Amino acid sequence: MAAAAVEGTAVTALRAVLQRVRHAAEISGRKANDVRVVAVSKTKPVSLIRQVYDAGHRCFGENYVQEIIDKAPQLPEDIEWHFVGHLQSNKVKSLLAAVPNLAMVEGIDNEKVANTLDRVVSTIKRKPLKVLVQVNTSGEESKSGVDPSDCVELAKHVRMGCSNLEFSGLMTIGMPDYSSTPENFRTLSNCRIEVCKALEMAENQCELSMGMSGDFELAVRIILN
């Protein structure tokens, strides 16, 4: 009974988040379909993820390679898995081999991991993998991601030097207490302007991944305005 109650709470929470996304999008004069909600399921059991899946959600994220490797084979193949955060080069092969329905890596923070992903995608002959470049917008030394001043060069490397990767945009993870949230999001938005100018890419083709449960409404407003 307790497990069922927890799982029911997860579905209720998801519906509440989706409602908040719709409201934030409406305020910006846009549609909720313009926003992708990635349900990050780290440390959560497969049974709970399945409950959310059965409620209609298909996009899930994991922060740890071992977790996604363990969970993905136990769940439906039409899930769109996102790996979120720093990815070590020595774990790329095991990740891609175990999760054929990996839809995106969020995000690449150096050329070495980009090159490794590119090589492994080619070796296993899967379709090009969508990737986001991770930008450290809060300036925290403990956080992964390139400095905003370096994001153009890394995006160029992925777009022009990694034919098996599809550069899809930028991502950031702000401070845990949300204290730098507005600045983080505006910095990432400004990075998109610079990247798109350098790559001659339309801004609506360059995704921004930012915002967590406590600040995603602000992210939606900044992205869509």
Side-chain angles (χ1 to χ4, degrees):
M1 292 294 292
V6 171
E7 292 173 349
T9 300
V11 173
T12 300
L14 171 66
R15 289 174 178 157
V17 166
L18 295 176
Q19 178 58 38
R20 288 164 60 194
V21 167
R22 283 192 291 271
H23 181 65
E26 288 171 2
I27 290 175
S28 302
R30 303 290 286 275
K31 297 178 180 179
N33 289 342
D34 293 331
V35 181
R36 178 194 293 119
V37 174
V38 179
V40 177
S41 49
K42 65 178 181 179
T43 75
K44 301 298 186 292
V46 168
S47 59
L48 190 147
I49 299 171
R50 182 63 196 234
Q51 184 76 12
V52 174
Y53 172 91
D54 288 343
H57 201 67
R58 293 294 180 270
C59 189
F60 293 86
E62 289 287 344
N63 299 101
Y64 303 110
V65 170
Q66 193 57 52
E67 274 202 68
I68 192 171
I69 286 176
D70 291 343
K71 293 174 181 178
Q74 302 180 60
L75 289 159
E77 294 181 357
D78 64 335
I79 285 180
E80 296 181 6
W81 286 105
H82 288 226
F83 182 83
V84 182
H86 177 68
L87 175 62
Q88 295 175 293
S89 295
N90 62 356
K91 295 185 177 179
V92 165
K93 186 175 181 180
S94 57
L95 172 64
L96 294 184
V99 190
N101 51 332
L102 182 69
M104 181 178 284
V105 169
E106 307 182 33
I108 289 178
D109 58 8
N110 60 71
E111 290 187 5
K112 180 180 179 181
V113 72
N115 293 340
T116 304
L117 276 167
D118 184 59
R119 184 175 64 254
V120 174
V121 168
S122 175
T123 299
I124 66 175
K125 295 180 169 53
R126 64 155 281 165
K127 66 181 181 180
L129 177 66
K130 292 183 178 182
V131 298
L132 303 182
V133 166
Q134 183 172 358
V135 184
N136 185 346
T137 57
S138 62
E140 297 168 89
E141 292 184 5
S142 61
K143 189 158 288 178
S144 300
V146 297
D147 187 86
S149 62
D150 296 324
C151 68
V152 169
E153 288 307 310
L154 184 53
K156 277 184 179 179
H157 178 77
V158 174
R159 174 94 174 220
M160 301 175 183
C162 300
S163 60
N164 298 290
L165 304 182
E166 182 180 335
F167 172 73
S168 299
L170 308 171
M171 69 85 73
T172 193
I173 300 173
M175 290 185 179
D177 62 0
Y178 305 120
S179 60
S180 63
T181 286
E183 293 78 12
N184 292 162
F185 294 168
R186 292 191 185 100
T187 296
L188 196 68
S189 184
N190 290 335
C191 285
R192 175 167 67 176
I193 293 172
E194 295 302 316
V195 166
C196 289
K197 185 185 301 182
L199 298 181
E200 299 182 346
M201 182 179 185
E203 287 188 26
N204 62 5
Q205 298 299 311
C206 183
E207 296 184 24
L208 294 184
S209 176
M210 57 190 193
M212 296 181 286
S213 57
D215 60 3
F216 69 81
E217 286 141 318
L218 177 59
V220 169
R221 291 197 290 272
I222 289 177
I223 291 173
L224 297 184
N225 284 330

